[in-house]
Amino acid sequence: GRPRTRWPVRGPQHVSFLKVSEGCDHGCAFCAIPLWRGRHRSFALEALVAEAQALEARGVVELNLVAQDLAHWGRDLQGRPGLDALLRALLRETGIPWFRLLYLYSAGLRAPLVELLATEPRIVPYLDMPIQHASDRVLRAMRRPERADALRAKIAGLRASVPGLVLRTTVLVGFPGESEEDVDRLLDFLRDVEFDHLGAFAFSPQPGTPAAAMPDPVPDAVKEERLRRVLDLQEAITAARNADRIGTEDEAIVDAVGPEGVVARVRGQAYEVDGVTFLAGAPCHVRPGDRWRVRVTGADVRDLYAEALAPVGRAPRAAAGRGRPLPVLPLGLATAYGR
């Protein structure tokens, strides 16, 4: 049925999130989400379009689609529509200029979705695609569906198909039984693939999950050392990829204007997780939600620096009043989309 409704939480007016489904069917050995939130359930397309329209009326110009796995949206609905069908409906029924896809298993990246990502300018060329590890032995123990060679091929195919694609991933170190050889395989994979952004975590056993009862736990000190190696490597990779963007042009969205200047993000920077772009040369009347064509002039290990070239779009004025209620699941479940 249709989800219940709530009023939107406080936050920036120009950027928001659209949770398209709840629960998960994957059964990864380390993850308690199926225990907490149950099996995967898709929100109805009509409800999601209505929520997006309500958010647009409030002034949202960047909408981030989230779920435990975006690629599973629609599999439990009549006709089994794919995520590309939902995106086409959102594009058709709203004028929101930026859509972003957060948390999507690589196994669910079918050709229609990749083609839409490659050809539709309102879907930013950005994917948050968790891999969790790159040792086949650990992936098998984690009960993950992908293997390292398949991941390499998928990433190569995505980059060949989608111009300017930016990739974020998530990895987990210290899983029970993980060896130094397994960690070396992960580090070698990260060096070869060079994700633009990466989040990393140390394994923590969750009650009720298969991994919580697995033998051969990794000592906490070893977990932390392995986590630091992954993060240090990724810091160097991100710094190098940021440096490669110097001199390039992109579209940026303004997030804040204050005494320290204009803080924006280019299309390859997701809100609050990927760093920001410090924007010079914008006029004094610029406001959050404005979009500009920019040229990247500098970079560091996290952030970019750019000059404003020309306006692309002004932030819309939000409709008066509270607007329309927004769908959420019962029981007050949080909108975090898992890992």
Side-chain angles (χ1 to χ4, degrees):
R2 292 176 66 90
R4 296 194 304 174
T5 60
R6 66 168 169 85
W7 298 112
V9 296
R10 293 184 180 274
Q13 179 174 289
H14 65 285
V15 58
S16 192
F17 298 83
L18 182 68
K19 192 164 192 180
V20 306
S21 63
E22 183 62 276
C24 185
D25 292 341
H26 284 298
C28 300
F30 55 82
C31 184
I33 285 175
L35 301 176
W36 300 337
R37 302 181 181 177
R39 298 292 300 270
H40 171 268
R41 292 97 68 205
S42 300
F43 287 171
L45 184 147
E46 296 80 6
L48 294 171
V49 168
E51 180 171 352
Q53 290 171 333
L55 291 167
E56 182 181 18
R58 292 181 56 232
V60 167
V61 293
E62 179 186 359
L63 191 56
N64 297 272
L65 273 61
V66 296
Q68 275 78 48
D69 180 6
L70 280 176
H72 274 191
W73 181 86
R75 65 185 298 181
D76 53 335
L77 300 178
Q78 186 174 3
R80 296 176 63 89
L83 182 62
D84 59 297
L86 173 59
L87 285 166
R88 291 184 191 280
L90 293 170
L91 292 164
R92 183 176 61 251
E93 301 296 336
T94 77
I96 294 172
W98 278 22
F99 289 94
R100 188 183 305 274
L101 306 181
L102 297 178
Y103 212 84
L104 192 153
Y105 277 52
S106 69
L109 284 164
R110 307 300 187 200
L113 179 59
V114 175
E115 181 180 0
L116 189 60
L117 184 64
T119 58
E120 174 50 60
R122 289 167 59 196
I123 304 175
V124 298
Y126 179 105
L127 282 176
D128 176 14
M129 190 182 74
I131 65 166
Q132 304 303 356
H133 217 284
S135 162
D136 286 356
R137 193 179 71 85
V138 175
L139 288 168
R140 192 175 301 109
M142 287 180 168
R143 302 184 182 177
R144 296 287 292 183
E146 304 96 342
R147 297 294 178 263
D149 286 347
L151 287 168
R152 287 178 192 272
K154 178 68 65 128
I155 291 166
L158 286 169
R159 284 179 165 157
S161 300
V162 183
L165 180 66
V166 170
L167 286 174
R168 161 173 274 278
T169 197
T170 305
V171 298
L172 181 68
V173 297
F175 192 79
E178 180 189 64
S179 67
E180 283 298 315
E181 181 181 357
D182 294 322
V183 178
D184 288 341
R185 289 181 182 275
L186 171 60
L187 293 171
D188 287 343
F189 186 93
L190 297 180
R191 289 188 191 97
D192 291 344
V193 169
E194 293 189 343
F195 288 101
D196 298 272
H197 309 291
L198 177 144
F201 302 88
F203 171 78
S204 176
Q206 301 298 308
T209 62
M214 286 183 176
D216 198 13
V218 177
D220 287 346
V222 176
K223 291 181 194 176
E224 292 303 317
E225 186 272 336
R226 292 174 179 176
L227 179 62
R228 176 46 49 195
R229 285 161 62 191
V230 168
L231 292 174
D232 285 347
L233 172 60
Q234 184 59 41
E235 184 176 276
I237 292 170
T238 299
R241 294 189 72 81
N242 280 351
D244 288 342
R245 293 185 171 89
I246 295 174
T248 63
E249 294 186 10
D250 203 344
E251 187 176 313
I253 190 167
V254 174
D255 280 336
V257 181
E260 297 182 357
V262 177
V263 179
R265 286 174 295 111
V266 295
R267 295 177 303 162
Q269 294 171 318
Y271 182 68
E272 290 194 325
V273 295
D274 291 334
V276 300
T277 297
F278 296 99
L279 188 59
C284 60
H285 60 267
V286 68
R287 66 177 188 260
D290 287 354
R291 289 171 294 121
W292 282 77
R293 192 70 187 172
V294 304
R295 179 183 294 112
V296 179
T297 57
D300 58 29
V301 296
R302 178 172 174 81
D303 302 316
L304 300 174
Y305 302 83
E307 60 176 339
L309 299 178
V312 175
R314 290 283 284 166
R317 297 294 185 183
R322 295 182 71 189
R324 298 164 64 180
L326 309 183
V328 308
L329 283 170
L331 307 178
L333 291 171
T335 57
Y337 47 92
R339 70 174 191 203

